[in-house]
PDB file of all heavy atoms in Angstrom:
ATOM      1  N   HIS A 143      81.552  30.620  77.701  1.00 98.00           N
ATOM      2  CA  HIS A 143      82.241  30.705  76.413  1.00 98.00           C
ATOM      3  C   HIS A 143      83.135  29.478  76.276  1.00 98.00           C
ATOM      4  O   HIS A 143      83.984  29.226  77.137  1.00 98.00           O
ATOM      5  CB  HIS A 143      83.101  31.970  76.345  1.00 98.00           C
ATOM      6  CG  HIS A 143      82.326  33.242  76.452  1.00 98.00           C
ATOM      7  ND1 HIS A 143      81.900  33.938  75.340  1.00 98.00           N
ATOM      8  CD2 HIS A 143      81.901  33.946  77.525  1.00 98.00           C
ATOM      9  CE1 HIS A 143      81.245  35.025  75.732  1.00 98.00           C
ATOM     10  NE2 HIS A 143      81.224  35.041  77.057  1.00 98.00           N
ATOM     11  N   VAL A 144      82.950  28.738  75.194  1.00 98.00           N
ATOM     12  CA  VAL A 144      83.761  27.542  74.934  1.00 98.00           C
ATOM     13  C   VAL A 144      84.521  27.748  73.634  1.00 98.00           C
ATOM     14  O   VAL A 144      83.916  27.993  72.594  1.00 98.00           O
ATOM     15  CB  VAL A 144      82.887  26.278  74.829  1.00 98.00           C
ATOM     16  CG1 VAL A 144      83.752  25.052  74.549  1.00 98.00           C
ATOM     17  CG2 VAL A 144      82.058  26.078  76.087  1.00 98.00           C
ATOM     18  N   ASP A 145      85.832  27.656  73.699  1.00 98.00           N
ATOM     19  CA  ASP A 145      86.672  27.701  72.506  1.00 98.00           C
ATOM     20  C   ASP A 145      87.072  26.265  72.177  1.00 98.00           C
ATOM     21  O   ASP A 145      87.854  25.652  72.899  1.00 98.00           O
ATOM     22  CB  ASP A 145      87.913  28.564  72.741  1.00 98.00           C
ATOM     23  CG  ASP A 145      88.730  28.778  71.479  1.00 98.00           C
ATOM     24  OD1 ASP A 145      88.825  27.834  70.655  1.00 98.00           O
ATOM     25  OD2 ASP A 145      89.279  29.874  71.305  1.00 98.00           O
ATOM     26  N   LEU A 146      86.508  25.741  71.104  1.00 98.00           N
ATOM     27  CA  LEU A 146      86.767  24.340  70.760  1.00 98.00           C
ATOM     28  C   LEU A 146      88.189  24.118  70.257  1.00 98.00           C
ATOM     29  O   LEU A 146      88.711  23.009  70.347  1.00 98.00           O
ATOM     30  CB  LEU A 146      85.767  23.873  69.692  1.00 98.00           C
ATOM     31  CG  LEU A 146      84.323  23.708  70.166  1.00 98.00           C
ATOM     32  CD1 LEU A 146      83.412  23.426  68.982  1.00 98.00           C
ATOM     33  CD2 LEU A 146      84.209  22.607  71.201  1.00 98.00           C
ATOM     34  N   THR A 147      88.822  25.159  69.726  1.00 98.00           N
ATOM     35  CA  THR A 147      90.187  25.021  69.224  1.00 98.00           C
ATOM     36  C   THR A 147      91.156  24.762  70.371  1.00 98.00           C
ATOM     37  O   THR A 147      91.970  23.835  70.333  1.00 98.00           O
ATOM     38  CB  THR A 147      90.619  26.284  68.447  1.00 98.00           C
ATOM     39  OG1 THR A 147      89.656  26.539  67.418  1.00 98.00           O
ATOM     40  CG2 THR A 147      91.996  26.120  67.835  1.00 98.00           C
ATOM     41  N   SER A 148      91.050  25.578  71.418  1.00 97.00           N
ATOM     42  CA  SER A 148      91.972  25.468  72.553  1.00 97.00           C
ATOM     43  C   SER A 148      91.410  24.632  73.697  1.00 97.00           C
ATOM     44  O   SER A 148      92.116  24.346  74.653  1.00 97.00           O
ATOM     45  CB  SER A 148      92.297  26.869  73.078  1.00 97.00           C
ATOM     46  OG  SER A 148      91.126  27.478  73.601  1.00 97.00           O
ATOM     47  N   ARG A 149      90.112  24.274  73.608  1.00 97.00           N
ATOM     48  CA  ARG A 149      89.395  23.555  74.681  1.00 97.00           C
ATOM     49  C   ARG A 149      89.276  24.407  75.951  1.00 97.00           C
ATOM     50  O   ARG A 149      89.115  23.873  77.049  1.00 97.00           O
ATOM     51  CB  ARG A 149      90.067  22.219  75.020  1.00 97.00           C
ATOM     52  CG  ARG A 149      90.219  21.261  73.836  1.00 97.00           C
ATOM     53  CD  ARG A 149      88.876  20.725  73.417  1.00 97.00           C
ATOM     54  NE  ARG A 149      88.906  19.969  72.181  1.00 97.00           N
ATOM     55  CZ  ARG A 149      88.651  18.668  72.079  1.00 97.00           C
ATOM     56  NH1 ARG A 149      88.376  17.963  73.141  1.00 97.00           N
ATOM     57  NH2 ARG A 149      88.652  18.086  70.903  1.00 97.00           N
ATOM     58  N   LYS A 150      89.355  25.717  75.783  1.00 97.00           N
ATOM     59  CA  LYS A 150      89.267  26.623  76.929  1.00 97.00           C
ATOM     60  C   LYS A 150      87.803  26.962  77.208  1.00 97.00           C
ATOM     61  O   LYS A 150      87.026  27.222  76.288  1.00 97.00           O
ATOM     62  CB  LYS A 150      90.053  27.897  76.608  1.00 97.00           C
ATOM     63  CG  LYS A 150      90.195  28.857  77.758  1.00 97.00           C
ATOM     64  CD  LYS A 150      91.081  30.027  77.344  1.00 97.00           C
ATOM     65  CE  LYS A 150      91.239  31.011  78.484  1.00 97.00           C
ATOM     66  NZ  LYS A 150      92.062  32.170  78.078  1.00 97.00           N
ATOM     67  N   VAL A 151      87.428  26.964  78.486  1.00 98.00           N
ATOM     68  CA  VAL A 151      86.066  27.289  78.915  1.00 98.00           C
ATOM     69  C   VAL A 151      86.144  28.460  79.883  1.00 98.00           C
ATOM     70  O   VAL A 151      86.910  28.428  80.853  1.00 98.00           O
ATOM     71  CB  VAL A 151      85.393  26.074  79.607  1.00 98.00           C
ATOM     72  CG1 VAL A 151      83.995  26.437  80.068  1.00 98.00           C
ATOM     73  CG2 VAL A 151      85.367  24.866  78.675  1.00 98.00           C
ATOM     74  N   GLU A 152      85.364  29.522  79.614  1.00 97.00           N
ATOM     75  CA  GLU A 152      85.334  30.700  80.480  1.00 97.00           C
ATOM     76  C   GLU A 152      83.900  31.036  80.837  1.00 97.00           C
ATOM     77  O   GLU A 152      82.985  30.839  80.035  1.00 97.00           O
ATOM     78  CB  GLU A 152      85.980  31.907  79.783  1.00 97.00           C
ATOM     79  CG  GLU A 152      87.463  31.739  79.521  1.00 97.00           C
ATOM     80  CD  GLU A 152      88.070  32.971  78.873  1.00 97.00           C
ATOM     81  OE1 GLU A 152      87.369  33.644  78.093  1.00 97.00           O
ATOM     82  OE2 GLU A 152      89.242  33.255  79.153  1.00 97.00           O
ATOM     83  N   TYR A 153      83.726  31.549  82.041  1.00 96.00           N
ATOM     84  CA  TYR A 153      82.395  31.876  82.544  1.00 96.00           C
ATOM     85  C   TYR A 153      82.282  33.373  82.761  1.00 96.00           C
ATOM     86  O   TYR A 153      83.213  34.018  83.227  1.00 96.00           O
ATOM     87  CB  TYR A 153      82.142  31.116  83.851  1.00 96.00           C
ATOM     88  CG  TYR A 153      82.355  29.624  83.709  1.00 96.00           C
ATOM     89  CD1 TYR A 153      83.563  29.027  84.074  1.00 96.00           C
ATOM     90  CD2 TYR A 153      81.365  28.823  83.182  1.00 96.00           C
ATOM     91  CE1 TYR A 153      83.764  27.667  83.926  1.00 96.00           C
ATOM     92  CE2 TYR A 153      81.554  27.451  83.027  1.00 96.00           C
ATOM     93  CZ  TYR A 153      82.756  26.875  83.405  1.00 96.00           C
ATOM     94  OH  TYR A 153      82.961  25.529  83.251  1.00 96.00           O
ATOM     95  N   GLU A 154      81.125  33.926  82.433  1.00 95.00           N
ATOM     96  CA  GLU A 154      80.894  35.372  82.537  1.00 95.00           C
ATOM     97  C   GLU A 154      79.528  35.608  83.168  1.00 95.00           C
ATOM     98  O   GLU A 154      78.528  35.009  82.749  1.00 95.00           O
ATOM     99  CB  GLU A 154      80.942  35.976  81.123  1.00 95.00           C
ATOM    100  CG  GLU A 154      80.545  37.423  81.022  1.00 95.00           C
ATOM    101  CD  GLU A 154      80.409  37.892  79.572  1.00 95.00           C
ATOM    102  OE1 GLU A 154      80.738  37.137  78.630  1.00 95.00           O
ATOM    103  OE2 GLU A 154      79.952  39.035  79.396  1.00 95.00           O
TER     104      GLU A 154
END
Side-chain angles (χ1 to χ4, degrees):
H143 298 265
V144 180
D145 187 324
L146 290 172
T147 305
S148 65
R149 303 290 171 114
K150 187 176 180 182
V151 179
E152 295 182 327
Y153 306 97
E154 172 189 354

